[in-house]
């Protein structure tokens, strides 16, 4: 079992900055989840610098300990986890980077490991989804963001961008759009009713106003009903948060959510069949007092907790089933 290398009395600021003090190994045996950095931002449309996001998130994860009082769970009792390090990328060469990201993630998925990717810009979700679909087929997308990222190129050829990642994923059959949901969309646009493009692809799209009109438990129930027990890929763009809580991002939109709301939304999804996560668009150069990286690190911890809760539920179900089996 791999677990955080921390203990009472040992300074949390000491040692190499892996995520949550997890051991830095590139193993695929006896591993349940792997935190993986993808330092790539060639797909951005505005401000660059998210390539430094994984490093900043790891640094601000040092005070995160393995027990979640909210879920009443010690993640290390249920999961073996590692910091896999950073994937190889080619800055400035997006298609080549997509290919090598997919290539490196494929054995992770084949081993049954759930990757938690730290971006990088949101374009990294496309090779992530390509690798996931090889193992699981089309997956349900649960998408927290201020943008739908379902743009289209004006030209016959694709124009790779973090703003078009999910339209291309639908085109390639990587996403089960009819059982997917996007939430938090807001901000100005180039055309009226721009979210209708995403809805036409099959996504359920909730604007920030739509989300605000629901109580958080209602929102979480809506997500659960949408995806059921199908394989779920959760992607979280840090600009889902209001710029007050995430100034360090390349495309901020005012009128967003606070950290407590985001935590509650994620915690309410416990029990779903998550097969992959990514957290993207942290841009340290714009990050006042490292608050964005701190919030990103804690959101990634919530991802780990979701996996631990699912494992606990599975183990309890197996024990219940065993207890009612007739003796031979």
């Amino acid at each position: 079992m791999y677990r955080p290398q921390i203990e009472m009395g040992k300074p949390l600021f000491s040692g190499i900055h892996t995520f949550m003090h997890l051991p830095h190994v590139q193993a695929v045996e006896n591993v349940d989840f792997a935190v993986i950095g993808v330092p790539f931002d060639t797909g951005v449309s505005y401000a660059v610098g998210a390539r430094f996001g994984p490093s900043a998130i790891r640094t601000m994860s040092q005070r995160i300990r393995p027990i979640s009082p909210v879920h009443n769970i010690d993640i290390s009792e249920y999961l073996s986890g590692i910091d896999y390090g950073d994937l190889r990328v080619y800055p400035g060469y997006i298609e080549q980077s997509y290919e090598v990201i997919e290539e490196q993630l494929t054995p992770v998925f084949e081993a049954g490991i759930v990757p938690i990717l730290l971006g990088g810009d949101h374009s990294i979700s496309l090779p992530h989804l390509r690798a996931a679909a090889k193992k699981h087929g089309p997956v349900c997308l649960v998408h927290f963001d201020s943008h739908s990222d379902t743009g289209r190129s004006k030209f016959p050829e694709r124009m790779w961008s973090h703003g078009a990642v999910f339209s291309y994923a639908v085109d390639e059959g990587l996403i089960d759009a009819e059982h997917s949901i996007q939430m938090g969309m807001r901000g100005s646009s180039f055309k009226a009713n721009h979210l209708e493009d995403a809805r036409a692809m099959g996504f359920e799209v909730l604007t920030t106003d739509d989300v605000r009109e629901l109580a958080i438990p209602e929102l979480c129930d809506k997500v659960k009903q949408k995806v059921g027990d199908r394989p779920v890929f959760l992607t979280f763009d840090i600009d889902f948060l209001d710029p007050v809580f995430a100034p360090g991002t390349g495309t901020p939109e005012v009128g967003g959510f606070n950290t407590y709301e985001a935590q509650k939304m994620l915690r309410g999804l416990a029990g779903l069949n998550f097969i992959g996560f990514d957290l993207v668009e942290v841009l340290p150069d714009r990050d006042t007092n490292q608050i964005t990286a701190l919030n990103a690190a804690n959101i990634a911890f919530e991802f780990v907790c979701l996996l631990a809760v699912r494992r606990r539920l599975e183990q309890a179900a197996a024990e219940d089933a065993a207890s009612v089996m007739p003796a031979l």
Side-chain angles (χ1 to χ4, degrees), residues 44 52 101 103 105 118 130 133 143 151 176 196 207 213 220 264 267 280-281 289 292 319 327:
V44 299
F52 300 109
I101 291 169
E103 176 185 307
L105 288 176
L118 307 178
R130 287 172 176 170
H143 179 194
D176 177 1
E196 293 307 313
T207 66
E213 290 174 2
C220 296
K264 291 282 286 184
R267 291 166 181 168
V280 296
E281 302 286 355
N289 297 326
T292 312
E319 291 170 2

Side-chain angles (χ1 to χ4, degrees), residues 1 3 74-79 315:
M1 286 281 289
R3 60 187 64 209
D74 183 339
I75 62 167
S76 58
E77 289 185 9
Y78 293 92
L79 300 173
Q315 290 184 4

